[in-house]
Amino acid sequence: MRRKKTVLLLGGSGLLGSSLRRELERKIARPDWREEISLLTPSHQELNVLDFCALEHYVSELEPDLIFNCVAHTQVDRAESEPEQAMLYNRDLPKKLGELIKGSRTFLVHYSTDFVFNGEKKTPYTPEDKPDPLCVYGASKLAGEKALMALDLENCAILRTAWLYGPGGRNFVRTILGVCGRNGEARVVDDQKGSPTYSHDLAFWSVKFAENPRSGIFHVVNSGDVTWHGLASEAARLVYPGCPVRPIKSAELNAPATRPAYSVLDNSGFASMLGLELRHWRDALHEYLGQYGFLGGAAQ
Ligand SMILES: NC(=O)c1ccc[n+]([C@@H]2O[C@H](COP(=O)([O-])OP(=O)(O)OC[C@H]3O[C@@H](n4cnc5c(N)ncnc54)[C@H](OP(=O)(O)O)[C@@H]3O)[C@@H](O)[C@H]2O)c1
């Protein structure tokens, strides 16, 4: 009899987590997959992952084959004023998960960020490039990566991603379209360039990767690059044609956290490993806007 594969999804209500949940549930519903995967997505209330005793108990009872960790402190500006909390989520939690799976058959897929880089490069960052974060969030995510790497795990992958948007939470695209709808114009920074990534695409690639996982650090983003202003302009062009999107400089925002001016990630290694083309951000954006009702005129 074939053993049922158990997948534990932590943070299944968040932006990425809800896309992963959807992707895994779609897979389970396929006739050739049913009976083979059991998916557990405990809510924050059911399992507070910062209660490391409860986490240890849960994981050791379940003995999952696979863990996706989507729990993190993701409020980049707020992290500046609560670095201990950011470190607890972004360094100590992955470290604890790494310790729990060491030597076991559980594979851990953990997520990190383009904000581990300082933005001084002019060409896309590869996984081999030296990180040098500019803000507390980036530093705490890098500390999590280092804690995992120090454990020398054969059963853990760190997927660095960037600029996520999707239906499962607050995100830049939806926020900016809301501003366009309310104010008839928007002001957006044009001096930060990155790799916008659709959470559904990342979820699809993550699940594909997890079918045959490998340990290491990988860059997993939609292809192409653009500034926040370029991204906002493209979304506004489609949803609110004629709405002006004015370019501004990061300094005008006075944001507590410093972001890298350039944090485009080179996804070619991951794409060739999976034998997939990671589609362009513009194609993904168009699908998101069409799929979630923005193109009817009213932003969802
Ligand atoms: N968002 C981005 O643009 C972006 C960019 C690059 C990398 N990443 C990385 O991608 C990953 C996912 O990010 P995301 O934006 O999808 O995160 P998110 O939307 O902020 O979701 C975080 C999740 O963690 C859960 N959570 C928080 N505290 C918890 C606790 N103590 N116990 C159990 N669950 C808890 C939240 O549930 P509740 O809401 O119920 O508390 C939520 O489901 C993170 O590693 C992040 O660093 C994100």
Side-chain angles (χ1 to χ4, degrees):
M1 202 176 76
R2 284 177 81 165
R3 217 188 128 264
K4 202 165 180 171
K5 195 169 176 176
T6 307
V7 178
L8 174 59
L9 170 59
L10 300 174
S13 66
L15 180 50
L16 172 59
S18 55
S19 289
L20 263 171
R21 182 182 196 140
R22 167 185 176 270
E23 187 61 36
L24 288 160
E25 283 171 349
R26 276 156 51 126
K27 212 161 183 72
I28 292 166
R30 275 173 35 186
D32 51 330
W33 278 85
R34 208 174 297 145
E35 308 305 329
E36 289 188 16
I37 298 180
S38 146
L39 172 63
L40 284 109
T41 60
S43 67
H44 187 158
Q45 287 69 32
E46 288 164 338
L47 175 64
N48 174 5
V49 297
L50 295 185
D51 178 344
F52 290 165
C53 287
L55 179 67
E56 181 163 353
H57 182 72
Y58 194 97
V59 171
S60 57
E61 285 283 299
L62 192 64
E63 293 185 359
D65 298 270
L66 182 61
I67 300 176
F68 288 103
N69 177 31
C70 300
V71 177
H73 189 301
T74 55
Q75 301 298 309
V76 177
D77 285 322
R78 214 173 69 201
E80 295 296 311
S81 56
E82 46 187 55
E84 293 85 7
Q85 198 63 2
M87 284 293 178
L88 193 56
Y89 272 98
N90 296 341
R91 177 194 59 201
D92 301 348
L93 171 61
K95 177 170 187 274
K96 181 67 188 176
L97 286 169
E99 287 165 356
L100 290 177
I101 60 145
K102 191 169 171 69
S104 77
R105 61 175 171 74
T106 303
F107 196 95
L108 172 64
V109 178
H110 176 70
Y111 294 89
S112 191
T113 173
D114 55 329
F115 282 11
V116 297
F117 295 115
N118 65 17
E120 286 173 12
K121 253 188 110 181
K122 301 283 175 273
T123 54
Y125 282 95
T126 69
E128 291 73 38
D129 281 320
K130 195 173 174 304
D132 176 26
L134 302 174
C135 60
V136 168
Y137 169 73
S140 65
K141 294 296 291 184
L142 179 61
E145 290 187 6
K146 286 185 170 166
L148 284 171
M149 298 305 280
L151 288 166
D152 201 18
L153 301 166
E154 288 169 359
N155 48 342
C156 172
I158 298 167
L159 308 189
R160 287 193 190 129
T161 191
W163 295 27
L164 287 183
Y165 64 89
R170 281 178 24 169
N171 71 77
F172 170 80
V173 173
R174 186 158 67 175
T175 301
I176 222 67
L177 289 174
V179 171
C180 288
R182 278 193 307 279
N183 302 348
E185 67 164 353
R187 297 163 71 243
V188 182
V189 296
D190 75 341
D191 55 1
Q192 292 171 32
K193 188 177 271 191
S195 309
T197 299
Y198 185 22
S199 60
H200 282 359
D201 281 0
L202 177 57
F204 175 78
W205 300 324
S206 298
V207 171
K208 185 98 187 134
F209 169 78
E211 285 169 12
N212 194 8
R214 285 191 214 170
S215 56
I217 298 181
F218 303 94
H219 286 179
V220 193
V221 289
N222 281 117
S223 298
D225 60 56
V226 69
T227 63
W228 290 113
H229 175 261
L231 176 61
S233 300
E234 180 65 2
R237 184 181 73 78
L238 293 163
V239 180
Y240 294 110
C243 174
V245 179
R246 306 194 193 287
I248 59 167
K249 298 294 164 210
S250 304
E252 293 178 56
L253 287 182
N254 253 327
T258 305
R259 275 91 168 156
Y262 181 93
S263 60
V264 180
L265 299 182
D266 178 348
N267 61 15
S268 58
F270 186 80
S272 60
M273 181 176 73
L274 253 64
L276 285 177
E277 196 187 324
L278 309 191
R279 67 177 165 171
H280 196 276
W281 66 264
R282 197 174 287 111
D283 298 330
L285 176 70
H286 291 195
E287 184 176 299
Y288 167 62
L289 296 176
Q291 204 170 357
Y292 288 96
F294 290 92
L295 297 184
Q300 300 296 294

